[in-house]
Amino acid sequence: MSQEEDNKMADRWQKDADGILIFTGLFSAAVAALLAVSIQDLRPNPQDTAAFYLANIYQLLADPNISLASTLATPATLPPFSPPRYAIWVNSLWFLSLVISLTGALLATLLQQWARRY
């Protein structure tokens, strides 16, 4: 009788772990997709960089009084990039959510392995 109840309990735990694994798999996939989109806010925009250099080239070509030697001696430097605070917070929370979800999946897998042995 006790062995039968133990088997039922282990079977319930295994089924619960199956549900957790399905949920964490879907949740992790959704978070990873959102993270792939939002992580781009942490990098400088390549179009801004191209526009900066094109504006410098235009200024050089538009002004005939500027000599080539003086422009090569003082190259234009791109302004430093710092990501917005909201982007850092949002991406930190997405990463934290993904880590917690994958940790839950790992624990559910360990529970399944334990329930099979039990």
Side-chain angles (χ1 to χ4, degrees), residues 37-51:
V37 171
S38 71
I39 202 166
Q40 310 225 345
D41 292 339
L42 297 175
R43 299 181 188 149
N45 189 352
Q47 291 178 344
D48 292 342
T49 305

Side-chain angles (χ1 to χ4, degrees), residues 52-97:
F52 173 79
Y53 287 120
L54 284 173
N56 285 334
I57 291 170
Y58 174 76
Q59 287 176 351
L60 290 175
L61 295 175
D63 191 1
N65 297 329
I66 297 177
S67 68
L68 186 59
S70 67
T71 58
L72 292 178
T74 58
T77 58
L78 192 64
F81 173 76
S82 64
R85 283 180 90 65
Y86 78 88
I88 294 171
W89 274 99
V90 167
N91 283 290
S92 298
L93 292 174
W94 282 131
F95 274 115
L96 181 64
S97 176

